[in-house]
Amino acid sequence: MTSLVGPDTVRRPTPPRRASTAAANGGARQPRRSPTLRQERSLLTGGARLVAGMDEVGRGALAGPVSVGVVVVDAATRTAPQGLTDSKLLTPAARVAMVPQLERWGVAWAVGHAGPAEIDAHGIVAALRLAGRRALAQVRRTCGDVDVVLLDGSHDWLSRGDVDLFEAAALDPVLGPDVPEPAVRTLVKADLQCSSVAAASVLAKVERDGLLVRLARQYPAFAWDQNKGYSAPAHLDALRRHGPTPQHRRSWNLRALADDTAPGDAQVPGAPGATLDPVLRDGMMAP
């Protein structure tokens, strides 16, 4: 048998495997890094009087509103309550337990909502802007105009563009044309780095989850108390069996997810069947 290794062949040693972080630290995981007020304080030092952290929840759901939380801080705001982090990293019980502390911590806070009919009529990005500006309108009544908004992610969906793709905002009575525009700073993973954004994510998540639990009492087949309107198996199965409700985003491709839905169930955006449920309407006006 001919050897594959000739006299001119150089054997290259196999590089050692890189030790995992846990192994490098004696088997112990490094503690999770908590968000801070570093970014907010930098903006406040730079001349801002009020800085608001903002985050959204429900963007990818099939049913229910898209919700935007906002928490305002100023130069006197102290370190955030212990244990605060992005809402996705906290258990439901931990999020709920943290709400009273966060409500006392910031200068002001609010959660704004845009319902499924508004998402259908104007698109998800416009609905995000509408929900965010509703939240800002609520905190404005408490602390006045916010100077800078720290927005989680890389896309500024809050500001008006040169071409106003967010005409839905002009239709909302709480958002008058003379309301000043805050400066917006986007930051990827801001919910992990900035205390105000992390707090906004927790408050928005808890409030939206509560709305879906209440809506689940009207539509128990969809198990929204468990899946919060996202595409869990029980939700998809109920769509196949019952078709969409007024709380579903009917402009989305629900038929691809529930391919045997009856043809008459898929209504166009803005149709009479897509009106807001009273429970959701109340939640959209919550302080």
Side-chain angles (χ1 to χ4, degrees):
M1 181 175 178
T2 304
S3 172
L4 296 179
V5 181
D8 297 328
T9 301
V10 178
R11 290 183 180 270
R12 299 184 182 275
T14 302
R17 291 184 178 180
R18 185 172 297 176
S20 66
T21 303
N25 288 281
R29 290 188 177 182
Q30 289 185 321
R32 187 170 60 200
R33 192 173 179 181
S34 299
T36 69
L37 285 172
R38 175 181 293 183
Q39 295 285 344
E40 292 92 331
R41 285 172 176 157
S42 175
L43 293 168
L44 292 164
T45 302
R49 184 181 68 90
L50 295 173
V51 173
M54 182 175 284
D55 201 9
E56 56 83 14
V57 294
R59 182 172 187 160
L62 306 181
V66 64
S67 304
V68 174
V70 60
V71 173
V72 181
V73 299
D74 62 11
T77 303
R78 298 184 178 183
T79 302
Q82 188 174 5
L84 175 64
T85 188
D86 173 24
S87 62
K88 295 184 290 295
L89 301 179
L90 296 171
T91 65
R95 288 194 294 262
V96 171
M98 189 164 284
V99 166
Q101 302 175 64
L102 297 178
E103 292 176 351
R104 294 191 299 267
W105 172 65
V107 173
W109 70 275
V111 179
H113 308 279
E118 292 171 317
I119 295 170
D120 288 342
H122 305 290
I124 188 61
V125 175
L128 280 168
R129 178 173 185 261
L130 184 55
R133 297 177 77 82
R134 283 172 173 162
L136 285 176
Q138 292 179 51
V139 297
R140 187 178 295 114
R141 293 196 290 266
T142 301
C143 62
D145 294 324
V146 168
D147 299 303
V148 184
V149 172
L150 266 171
L151 198 60
D152 182 44
S154 59
H155 175 223
D156 176 8
W157 42 258
L158 183 67
S159 301
R160 291 190 179 98
D162 294 333
V163 177
D164 193 2
L165 301 177
F166 309 106
E167 61 181 349
L171 305 177
D172 196 294
V174 304
L175 305 174
D178 298 327
V179 173
E181 290 282 320
V184 174
R185 301 287 183 269
T186 59
L187 181 64
V188 176
K189 300 296 184 184
D191 49 7
L192 291 172
Q193 301 179 56
C194 305
S195 296
S196 64
V197 180
S201 76
V202 171
L203 293 173
K205 175 66 174 168
V206 171
E207 184 159 320
R208 185 182 183 277
D209 282 0
L211 282 172
L212 268 294
V213 169
R214 292 162 63 190
L215 287 169
R217 298 169 191 162
Q218 299 181 30
Y219 306 98
F222 295 87
W224 290 338
D225 54 327
Q226 300 174 43
N227 60 57
K228 307 305 185 289
Y230 288 90
S231 55
H235 189 175
L236 297 179
D237 183 61
L239 267 173
R240 295 184 188 99
R241 289 186 289 111
H242 303 289
T245 72
Q247 299 303 326
H248 281 96
R249 302 170 186 183
R250 294 170 182 247
S251 58
W252 292 27
N253 197 8
L254 299 177
R255 193 180 299 280
L257 297 169
D259 50 15
D260 58 347
T261 299
D265 285 334
Q267 299 188 19
V268 297
T275 56
L276 286 179
D277 185 283
V279 175
L280 177 55
R281 189 183 302 115
D282 291 344
M284 290 173 61
M285 302 307 293

